[in-house]
Amino acid sequence: MTPLPSSPAEELALLERELIWLDTRRAQLLRRRSWLKAALRAQSGRGWQPPPGVPGGWAHAPAAHPARAAHPAPPVHPAPAVPPGSATGGPGAQHVLLILGGLLLAVAAIAFTLFSWGELGIVGRAVVLAGVTAGALGAPVLLLRRGLGATAEAVGAVALLLTVLDAYALHAAVLPEADGAGYAAFASGALAAGWTAYGAGVGRLRLPLPAAVVAGQFPLVLGAWAAGGSVLVIGWALLVTAAASVVVAVRGPGLAVRATAWSGAGATWAGGLLIGLGESVSAGGPFDAAGPGALLLGAAAVALTAAWRAPREMAVTGGVVAGLAAVAGVGGVLRTEVPWSWAVVVHLLCGAALAPVARIAVVPRPVRGGVLGAAAGVTGLAVLAVLPSAAATLLGPAAVLTGLWAGAPGGVREVAAGAGAWPDDMSVPVVLLVVAVLLGAVYASLVQEGRAPAGRTGAAGAVAVGLVSAAVPVLLVTAGVAYAAALAVDLLLVAGLLGAALAVRRVPAAAGVTALWCAVAVAAHTGLLALAAEPATYAVFGLLLVLFAAVAARSGEVVTRSLSLVLSVVCALVVAVAAGASLELGAPRMAVLVLAVPAVAVVLGLWLRTPAVVVPLEAGAGVGALVALGLALTDGAYLSLVLALCGVLAAATAVRPERRPGAGYLAVGLFALATWVRLVSAGVTHPEAYTLPVSVIACAVGLLRRRTDPEASSWAAYGPGLGVTLGPSLLALWSDPHWQRPLLLGAAALAVTVTGAVRRLQAPLLLGGGTLALVALHELAPHVAQVFDALPRWSVPALAGLLLLALGATYEQRLRDARRLREHVGRMR
């Protein structure tokens, strides 16, 4: 290690020596950098040699500074020799120059051909053609021998362009009367052959062989066009070209040749396929469709051949397009013999015929997967094609809601005919049933192979169940089956689906869930059909009630049990409403009868006490109570009775400890609301005479409860008593023109508010404060209206804007105040 300097003079001398060493080192590194760049540019068949005047290693490197002796520089190994024939050059400038040079030569050749060709005689033309073309074709050979690969590629590209220009010049000068398309076909074939021979002979040029593949895409097509061939002939020419390109793509040398051949095969194959599809669609008979069908089958054969030897991804794609082309070819011929609406069935059956390919072991696995994918695609398209008609048929019976119990129709088709939902033929249910059978066969096959009934296997079974569920009702409506027979079959289908939903251990979970929801959908369809006749309504909804109740009793799944219970209550509600309609009770009196269903649900909940059963029953009871309230809205007396009965049901629910807080408050509110409604319906103008005694007694009872239970809430103790009087008084206030009621009610509300604030009771504070605010609003409303009438129209939005600005400026403070108020009120009892 270098000893530390003992004086400033020694340290300065040491720094000077360090700087001199660094300068020398930098100069040596720069020389080494120049030598390496020159070595990379050197192109020699025998390898590179050190350029003259440039050191070939570290022989001239300066000696390490004494201060650096302990840390020598890492050795740098000489650059490896450049392989013979390598085209490695400078990283930009050389290629730019070559490209520009090639473009300039190409422009010059084009200009010479177009403008100076006619000035030469026939001999001169021949000499120029032979000399320039021969020189351009021969130059790359010499350049490759000298190791100038990039330059040889550029000159070779110019040579290929010159051959194209020579072909054009030969047609323009020597064969001007030759047919353009025929000459182009011959020229492209000759160029493809010549470029193939040239590329194979030279060997190391990368452009001629791909260019020959590109030129080879045109001879057959242009030849067919020149010969006046039909559209199908041109399509066959495209397919033959595609087949030849596939052979080149499979066996051709080099990645560039294979990639170009695959691209050309795809383009020409797609052209032939489009021609076949267009001709097949426009064909009017089987003989007219035979030619396009054969063309499409040929396209399928070419795609299958290409997929056989292609990589995995391309093999799957090839199998898909081959299968689709085959279906289009065969189906295009067969569909000419059936009505247009049955064309979907024809193509569906053709797609199903592809399924046995999965059993042919000699076919590569990716190709089999692609063909099966094509079959699945055809199946899915068939279902999508008939899905709108099927949905319209299933929803068609909704038209019966406009004419309930109009009488039993002769056939089920008459129920949906009012909405124009049913299709004109049987193809829709046939498609659904065929697809369901196919998916069922797939499911059975996968299960036999040992696949678990989940994933794709379970999805196949679930979709099959759904399609059968849709196909049977659609078939009944489309076929115009007798009304009673259709209802019976639909009910049997619902029973079967519910049975499948129960058999969760024997069927996949996905299929079981699908069966449950399909049973609900079919039940809705059947219920709509049943509303057309009175006896059918009782029979269908009674049987649906029994079915859903049985499923709820037997099922161990939470979702199945809950949904079945809710639907059981809904069916019971429909039966109750129908009974009221049959007895001609009228809507208000019918509401009391409907409340029997929620009452039964509440009693069952009290008896069973199982949360998984009680919650759905309570939900169904709530739905029934809402239906009853809706029926009683037009009659105040019955509405009051229904509200009171709903309060009784809520109070019965509050018997259970876990339901006591919510159901208890609900019961109190319903009782109070029933009282108010009864007073209003009776025409009482002074409700305080009826409510005030009740309020005094209720508040006294609440006071006694608070003394025995100080932790009791003020809402439970005083809320019902205060609400019984304050609510009706507020309602009477808005229709009272006198001043006594506002004064007395305001004073009472003020007293209640002050009592709640002093005793820290939440219910009196909020109820009294709210009532006092409404009384003040009632008294100020006329004066506020007069003020607003006197103010200009622009003042209202201006005042609102100022208020919003003030609130925005003090938003944080107001937010803190609101939080403190909420916390303070929340601490009250």
Side-chain angles (χ1 to χ4, degrees):
M1 297 180 59
T2 304
L4 295 176
S6 58
S7 64
E10 293 183 359
E11 183 176 359
L12 179 61
L14 179 62
L15 291 177
E16 292 291 342
R17 289 195 297 271
E18 288 282 348
L19 291 173
I20 293 172
W21 189 91
L22 290 175
D23 290 339
T24 306
R25 180 66 173 170
R26 183 176 184 277
Q28 188 272 335
L29 291 175
L30 289 175
R31 288 195 300 272
R32 180 64 178 176
R33 176 170 173 263
S34 300
W35 180 85
L36 291 173
K37 294 174 69 176
L40 290 174
R41 288 194 298 269
Q43 303 294 325
S44 173
R46 298 181 301 275
W48 57 268
Q49 296 294 334
V54 182
W58 294 103
H60 300 280
H65 193 273
R68 304 276 180 172
H71 304 283
V76 179
H77 300 286
V82 181
S86 174
T88 306
Q94 179 184 10
H95 295 292
V96 171
L97 293 176
L98 291 174
I99 292 172
L100 289 177
L103 289 177
L104 290 175
L105 285 176
V107 170
I110 294 172
F112 172 79
T113 303
L114 294 178
F115 302 110
S116 301
W117 182 257
E119 299 178 1
L120 298 176
I122 186 65
V123 178
R125 298 173 186 176
V127 171
V128 170
L129 279 174
V132 174
T133 304
L137 293 173
V141 179
L142 299 177
L143 292 172
L144 287 174
R145 290 179 181 177
R146 298 182 60 86
L148 303 176
T151 307
E153 292 287 350
V155 176
V158 174
L160 298 182
L161 177 61
L162 285 175
T163 57
V164 177
L165 295 176
D166 290 345
Y168 166 75
L170 182 62
H171 178 264
V174 180
L175 303 170
E177 298 180 356
D179 178 64
Y183 180 79
F186 170 78
S188 58
L191 288 175
W195 290 348
T196 301
Y198 180 69
V202 176
R204 284 183 290 175
L205 288 180
R206 291 173 291 181
L207 187 59
L209 291 179
V213 174
V214 174
Q217 308 301 312
F218 301 101
L220 286 178
V221 180
L222 294 176
W225 184 17
S230 63
V231 177
L232 289 179
V233 173
I234 295 176
W236 278 111
L238 287 168
L239 284 185
V240 173
T241 304
S245 298
V246 168
V247 174
V248 175
V250 173
R251 300 183 179 275
L255 178 61
V257 174
R258 291 195 295 271
T260 306
W262 280 121
S263 301
T268 52
W269 182 88
L273 179 69
L274 292 176
I275 290 175
L277 289 176
E279 293 296 309
S280 178
V281 171
S282 61
F287 293 102
D288 294 336
L295 181 61
L296 291 172
L297 290 178
V302 172
L304 192 62
T305 304
W308 206 280
R309 300 291 299 275
R312 176 178 178 79
E313 293 77 8
M314 294 181 65
V316 174
T317 304
V320 171
V321 297
L324 294 177
V327 170
V330 178
V333 177
L334 298 178
R335 62 94 187 162
T336 59
E337 292 296 317
V338 297
W340 182 257
S341 57
W342 285 86
V344 178
V345 181
V346 170
H347 286 87
L348 174 61
L349 294 177
C350 292
L354 298 176
V357 175
R359 300 292 183 180
I360 304 177
V362 70
V363 180
R365 187 179 184 86
V367 179
R368 281 184 283 165
V371 174
L372 291 179
V378 172
T379 304
L381 290 175
V383 173
L384 290 177
V386 302
L387 196 59
S389 297
T393 305
L394 292 174
L395 297 176
V400 78
L401 295 176
T402 59
L404 296 175
W405 291 0
V412 71
R413 189 168 187 170
E414 298 176 11
V415 180
W422 41 268
D424 294 332
D425 53 72
M426 296 286 292
S427 62
V428 174
V430 169
V431 168
L432 297 177
L433 289 174
V434 169
V435 175
V437 170
L438 292 176
L439 289 176
V442 170
Y443 172 77
S445 176
L446 293 176
V447 170
Q448 286 182 355
E449 292 177 1
R451 301 283 186 90
R456 294 181 180 179
T457 307
V463 176
V465 171
L467 292 176
V468 170
S469 305
V472 172
V474 173
L475 179 61
L476 296 175
V477 174
T478 306
V481 177
Y483 181 67
L487 291 179
V489 173
D490 283 338
L491 287 174
L492 289 176
L493 178 60
V494 173
L497 291 172
L498 291 176
L502 285 176
V504 292
R505 296 182 180 180
R506 296 187 295 273
V507 300
V513 174
T514 305
L516 174 63
W517 289 104
C518 288
V520 174
V522 177
H525 172 80
T526 310
L528 290 175
L529 289 176
L531 293 177
E534 182 177 358
T537 302
Y538 288 108
V540 168
F541 281 97
L543 288 174
L544 289 177
L545 171 61
V546 173
L547 287 175
F548 286 120
V551 171
R554 296 289 301 277
S555 177
E557 297 290 329
V558 176
V559 175
T560 304
R561 178 185 296 175
S562 302
L563 184 60
S564 301
L565 285 172
V566 173
L567 292 175
S568 300
V569 175
V570 171
C571 292
L573 288 173
V574 175
V575 173
V577 172
S582 298
L583 296 174
E584 298 180 355
L585 297 178
R589 289 187 293 174
M590 190 188 301
V592 180
L593 179 61
V594 168
L595 277 179
V597 177
V600 173
V602 170
V603 172
L604 286 176
L606 292 174
W607 177 42
L608 297 175
R609 294 182 176 273
T610 304
V613 176
V614 171
V615 174
L617 286 175
E618 290 178 348
V623 173
L626 291 177
V627 172
L629 290 173
L631 291 172
L633 280 177
T634 58
D635 192 308
Y638 277 99
L639 179 60
S640 173
L641 177 60
V642 170
L643 286 170
L645 292 176
C646 290
V648 172
L649 295 179
T653 304
V655 171
R656 298 200 308 274
E658 69 274 9
R659 292 287 187 270
R660 186 164 298 160
Y665 292 144
L666 179 61
V668 170
L670 289 172
F671 285 136
L673 187 59
T675 304
W676 301 345
V677 172
R678 183 59 183 167
L679 292 174
V680 172
S681 64
V684 175
T685 57
H686 299 286
E688 293 83 3
Y690 300 91
T691 59
L692 193 56
V694 177
S695 294
V696 173
I697 296 174
C699 290
V701 173
L703 180 61
L704 293 176
R705 181 181 178 184
R706 288 274 298 173
R707 287 183 176 179
T708 57
D709 183 12
E711 297 298 324
S713 171
S714 62
W715 288 99
Y718 305 113
L722 294 175
V724 166
T725 296
L726 294 178
S729 298
L730 279 174
L731 293 177
L733 174 69
W734 290 96
S735 60
D736 190 350
H738 304 289
W739 58 270
Q740 292 87 353
R741 188 188 301 275
L743 178 61
L744 295 176
L745 182 59
L750 179 62
V752 171
T753 304
V754 172
T755 302
V758 172
R759 302 294 300 272
R760 300 179 62 81
L761 298 175
Q762 190 179 103
L765 177 63
L766 296 181
L767 291 175
T771 304
L772 187 62
L774 291 175
V775 171
L777 178 62
H778 174 267
E779 294 301 307
L780 293 176
H783 305 287
V784 173
Q786 293 178 0
V787 171
F788 275 105
D789 289 338
L791 290 176
R793 295 183 181 275
W794 56 265
S795 60
V796 177
L799 292 174
L802 291 175
L803 178 62
L804 291 177
L805 288 175
L807 291 176
T810 59
Y811 174 76
E812 295 295 336
Q813 181 62 36
R814 302 286 80 78
L815 188 61
R816 287 192 293 269
D817 295 342
R819 288 173 179 169
R820 284 197 295 269
L821 178 62
R822 184 184 64 184
E823 294 173 357
H824 180 69
V825 173
R827 286 194 294 269
M828 294 182 177
R829 297 301 302 171

